[in-house]
Amino acid sequence: MYDKDWQPSASLDHLKRRAQFLTEIRRFFYQRDVLEVDTPILSHAAPTAPYLDSFTTEYIAAGGQKTSCYLHTSPEFAMKRLLAAGLGDIYQIAKVFRNGEQGRHHSPEFTMLEWYRPSLNYHQLMAEVDDLLQSVVGLPAVIKLSYQQVFSQYLAIDVSDVSEQQLKQFAMSKITSLPDDWQADKDGWLELLMSELIEPQFALSGQPYIIYDFPASQAQLAKLHRSDDGAVVAARFEVYARGLELANGYDECLDANELSQRFAKDNLIRQRQGKAMMPMDQNLIAAVNAGLPACTGVAIGVDRLLMLKLGVNDINAVSSFRFEQS
């Protein structure tokens, strides 16, 4: 007898609805005159971010010479090179790969929707994300709060003034599952409190949330700017809905030297964590240096969007085959 592992993990109805969903996403951008692009999956460089682990492989030339390559974790770097070349508003629906990520909401291979808008500012892009969630996914309008407001409203913490030690004491008093020797820096404690105490409260609401203006130390690839209260913060936002983290967006950093410094800092952190240091994408640095236009960008997990639309809580229910079957 043959086993049934050859069969799809998603139902045939869900696979048909996935195809329609992708059509609806493409229609959304077509109506806004945003161009679909297609960039390579294999790259000679990889993200340096300490929280990302890339899949590695080797290209073997005809003479036997080997070159390390990486499956992209996002089409971001290649898309920014297209922006620097002058292509304008663009989007991509891409298969992306992240090592070590697996669970009900994670898969080592998943589908990402990423788009960049030279024609939209930071808050206009957030409004467009809200439009996508309402018109394509069927979610209600977002609740929009700054990072400062979120911590003040849910935990009575002033993130601009709180110390690392105070955050540690607060976390240890509220999160009983933490071991006594748990170690983190200030950002680590903030991220822990966000994931353990604040995000579950988002899940209780039927509305999605956009959280914006993250601490400057959590800028990633975003610009730094001044918030309404004058603090220097990262022009970065994240989107949450019904217990799922959906998206990460930026007003993109346009300073090649600043990006190089951030990548180098990331690699030092990776080294301290015992992870491999990643080769910086010099083509990206060159493109930004040549003139990346002022633009905003965001990446959203397509599988998670479809999970919300179909009311399912496992990524395998919207995927042709689960990772173990591939």
Side-chain angles (χ1 to χ4, degrees):
M1 293 288 295
Y2 292 103
D3 62 39
K4 295 186 177 182
D5 279 349
W6 63 268
Q7 294 185 343
S9 56
S11 69
L12 297 186
D13 177 64
H14 282 184
L15 293 178
K16 291 175 183 177
R17 294 182 70 178
R18 182 186 180 100
Q20 180 60 36
F21 187 60
L22 294 175
T23 299
E24 292 167 3
I25 290 173
R26 288 187 165 96
R27 183 180 298 116
F28 178 89
F29 288 105
Y30 176 80
Q31 291 170 346
R32 288 159 175 77
D33 199 26
V34 183
L35 181 70
E36 183 172 11
V37 297
D38 183 22
T39 58
I41 288 174
L42 272 179
S43 174
H44 291 88
T48 55
Y51 59 87
L52 287 177
D53 292 312
S54 300
F55 282 97
T56 60
T57 187
E58 284 186 333
Y59 168 69
I60 303 174
Q65 182 179 357
K66 297 179 180 180
T67 303
S68 292
C69 295
Y70 304 86
L71 294 175
H72 69 180
T73 60
S74 157
E76 176 175 7
F77 290 179
M79 291 181 75
K80 285 180 175 175
R81 290 164 61 187
L82 294 178
L83 290 167
L87 202 53
D89 295 325
I90 56 176
Y91 81 97
Q92 184 168 181
I93 299 172
K95 285 290 187 180
V96 298
F97 307 84
R98 298 187 178 183
N99 211 342
E101 297 193 6
Q102 190 175 8
R104 284 194 306 117
H105 302 155
H106 297 83
S107 176
E109 175 184 348
F110 62 99
T111 303
M112 180 177 285
L113 165 65
E114 189 152 341
W115 75 94
Y116 292 89
R117 297 287 250 140
S119 60
L120 298 184
N121 67 31
Y122 181 46
H123 287 278
Q124 288 171 333
L125 181 65
M126 292 185 225
E128 186 165 72
V129 171
D130 189 14
D131 288 344
L132 177 80
L133 296 180
Q134 291 188 60
S135 63
V136 178
V137 186
L139 295 179
V142 301
I143 296 172
K144 188 175 168 186
L145 298 169
S146 73
Y147 194 91
Q148 172 81 12
Q149 288 174 319
V150 165
F151 273 83
S152 176
Q153 179 175 318
Y154 287 95
L155 301 181
I157 290 175
D158 181 352
V159 294
S160 65
D161 189 50
V162 68
S163 69
E164 180 182 319
Q165 185 60 31
Q166 288 171 322
L167 287 171
K168 177 180 179 179
Q169 291 174 348
F170 184 88
M172 298 299 282
S173 69
K174 297 292 185 180
I175 306 173
T176 56
S177 59
L178 283 179
D180 293 337
D181 60 350
W182 184 272
Q183 296 296 318
D185 59 12
K186 183 175 180 178
D187 283 324
W189 289 113
L190 288 172
E191 290 168 5
L192 180 71
L193 292 172
M194 175 68 87
S195 63
E196 294 294 320
L197 300 182
I198 296 176
E199 288 180 25
Q201 296 187 67
F202 293 164
L204 299 176
S205 170
Q207 290 177 268
Y209 285 74
I210 289 181
I211 310 305
Y212 66 95
D213 281 359
F214 277 63
S217 53
Q218 298 180 33
Q220 297 180 355
L221 302 184
K223 282 181 181 176
L224 300 183
H225 74 162
R226 291 199 177 273
S227 64
D228 292 339
D229 61 8
V232 177
V233 295
R236 171 186 165 205
F237 66 90
E238 291 195 351
V239 185
Y240 303 86
R242 299 176 188 168
L244 292 174
E245 182 182 334
L246 296 178
N248 198 8
Y250 310 133
D251 189 351
E252 302 292 341
C253 178
L254 308 178
D255 186 326
N257 290 330
E258 174 67 21
L259 287 176
S260 294
Q261 292 170 15
R262 292 185 192 182
F263 293 158
K265 183 179 178 181
D266 284 346
N267 264 331
L268 289 176
I269 295 173
R270 293 183 68 90
Q271 190 176 40
R272 288 199 297 269
Q273 293 176 345
K275 293 183 176 182
M277 297 175 71
M278 293 289 103
M280 294 187 201
D281 192 328
Q282 296 301 329
N283 285 323
L284 171 67
I285 298 299
V288 175
N289 192 54
L292 180 66
C295 62
T296 54
V298 62
I300 296 184
V302 170
D303 309 278
R304 291 185 179 186
L305 289 181
L306 186 56
M307 287 166 62
L308 290 173
K309 188 175 181 72
L310 298 182
V312 298
N313 61 7
D314 192 318
I315 196 169
N316 293 317
V318 297
S319 304
S320 295
F321 299 99
R322 62 183 184 273
F323 173 64
E324 294 84 357
Q325 294 175 283
S326 59

